[in-house]
Amino acid sequence: MYKCKHHFNNLRADLQAAVLEFVGTAFFLLLGLGGIQASTGARLMSNNQASDVEQVLYISTCMGISLLVSAWLFFRVTGGLFNPNVSLALLLVGVMKPLRFFLFCIAQIVGAITASALIRVLTSMPLSVGTFLQSGTSVTKGIFIEMFITCALVLSVLMLAAEKHQATAFAPVRTLFVGTLRSLMFDDRLGLALPSSPAICNFAVYYTGASMNCARSFGPAVVGGFESDHWVYWVGPLLGSLLGAALYATMKHVQYWKLNPGQDATDPREAAQEIEEAQY
């Protein structure tokens, strides 16, 4: 009985955080999926068709920059998760309580549906932002691709945001660059160095759509219709969450900070002390 009451001690704060997580998820996916919708519309209406590579780069960039902006805005508010699979990993490693996990999952799924519905209403074409397996990509391959890229995303979040260190405040940017941004692309017309497509998405966009997020796949499916392989986008990311959490737990178990000590120190003497302590 005491444990049950203990879970509801912060109910008000959990509800408030869930509402704001809904807003953040809707904001993130409205920007990201809106870019994909525009890309698809432009490709259908233009006689000058973009190549598959250009399409993948554009889609990856839309989702990557949208995540960067949204996560940095909401990082100090709700954690800027926007993803039930990331929430699950945080639950498994003990960072998130069960009640908040449940409320966040609902918020993230409803946020994805809301963003998809807004895109459908605001644009003049059928919703075309859903995820599906490309021809030649089997269900098994799709599951493993989604599992590995979700694992990479989850591990980035756990090591850069959940694991507190000197640069935790920059976790939204570092998570994006370490986990997703591949390089810089120079635009000759603008003379600017622009963040190029996310590496994780570059690998998987063409084959599975690079969901890494069951809510991101579920929202467009509710509004635009379900594909027969939709379940892949629940199983793959779920396995990725489990794998990422297991890798993180393993590194914590072996006390990874002792394997390469002094990396978070700002003073050489502090670093030397940490190195000396690790040797004993």
Side-chain angles (χ1 to χ4, degrees):
M1 185 68 177
Y2 171 76
K3 289 184 177 180
C4 184
K5 287 184 177 179
H6 178 69
H7 288 306
F8 291 91
N9 282 347
N10 297 318
L11 178 59
R12 182 176 180 181
D14 289 339
L15 287 171
Q16 291 172 337
V19 171
L20 292 172
E21 181 71 4
F22 157 76
V23 174
T25 304
F27 182 81
F28 158 53
L29 290 177
L30 180 63
L31 296 179
L33 299 182
I36 298 175
Q37 179 83 342
S39 170
T40 306
R43 190 168 188 177
L44 292 175
M45 297 174 62
S46 174
N47 292 326
N48 185 17
Q49 297 289 321
S51 69
D52 288 337
V53 173
E54 290 174 324
Q55 185 85 349
V56 168
L57 289 174
Y58 181 81
I59 290 173
S60 301
T61 303
C62 285
M63 293 300 291
I65 298 301
S66 174
L67 179 59
L68 170 62
V69 173
S70 305
W72 213 341
L73 284 175
F74 286 89
F75 176 62
R76 292 184 299 164
V77 182
T78 67
L81 306 180
F82 316 141
N83 187 335
N85 301 105
V86 173
S87 299
L88 174 61
L90 293 176
L91 173 71
L92 292 174
V93 301
V95 175
M96 182 177 286
K97 296 295 178 62
L99 178 60
R100 178 165 290 206
F101 164 72
F102 176 74
L103 294 174
F104 266 39
C105 285
I106 294 175
Q108 290 155 353
I109 290 173
V110 175
I113 296 173
T114 302
S116 301
L118 284 172
I119 292 170
R120 178 64 186 89
V121 170
L122 295 175
T123 58
S124 57
M125 58 178 291
L127 192 67
S128 55
V129 298
T131 51
F132 55 89
L133 299 180
Q134 284 286 344
S135 176
T137 303
S138 67
V139 166
T140 303
K141 290 179 180 178
I143 289 175
F144 274 98
I145 289 173
E146 286 294 320
M147 180 184 74
F148 287 129
I149 62 176
T150 304
C151 173
L153 173 64
V154 163
L155 199 57
S156 297
V157 172
L158 291 175
M159 290 301 295
L160 298 173
E163 195 74 0
K164 301 307 176 187
H165 47 78
Q166 293 284 351
T168 295
F170 294 94
V173 180
R174 295 189 70 194
T175 299
L176 195 66
F177 275 83
V178 174
T180 58
L181 287 185
R182 181 184 66 176
S183 59
L184 293 176
M185 175 176 65
F186 191 81
D187 190 323
D188 292 328
R189 295 169 297 173
L190 300 179
L192 297 173
L194 301 175
S196 185
S197 53
I200 291 177
C201 292
N202 273 349
F203 164 60
V205 164
Y206 182 78
Y207 300 102
T208 68
S211 175
M212 301 178 281
N213 183 342
C214 59
R216 178 261 179 269
S217 294
F218 185 72
V222 169
V223 177
F226 288 87
E227 299 284 344
S228 60
D229 53 23
H230 176 75
W231 63 273
V232 168
Y233 299 96
W234 290 84
V235 175
L238 170 62
L239 295 175
S241 296
L242 299 177
L243 180 58
L247 289 173
Y248 174 75
T250 301
M251 287 190 285
K252 292 281 283 187
H253 178 71
V254 301
Q255 298 181 321
Y256 71 87
W257 55 89
K258 292 185 178 180
L259 303 178
N260 190 22
Q263 297 306 304
D264 201 35
T266 56
D267 189 298
R269 290 171 295 182
E270 181 184 351
Q273 183 179 354
E274 290 184 12
I275 294 172
E276 185 178 351
E277 291 175 352
Q279 293 175 349
Y280 295 97

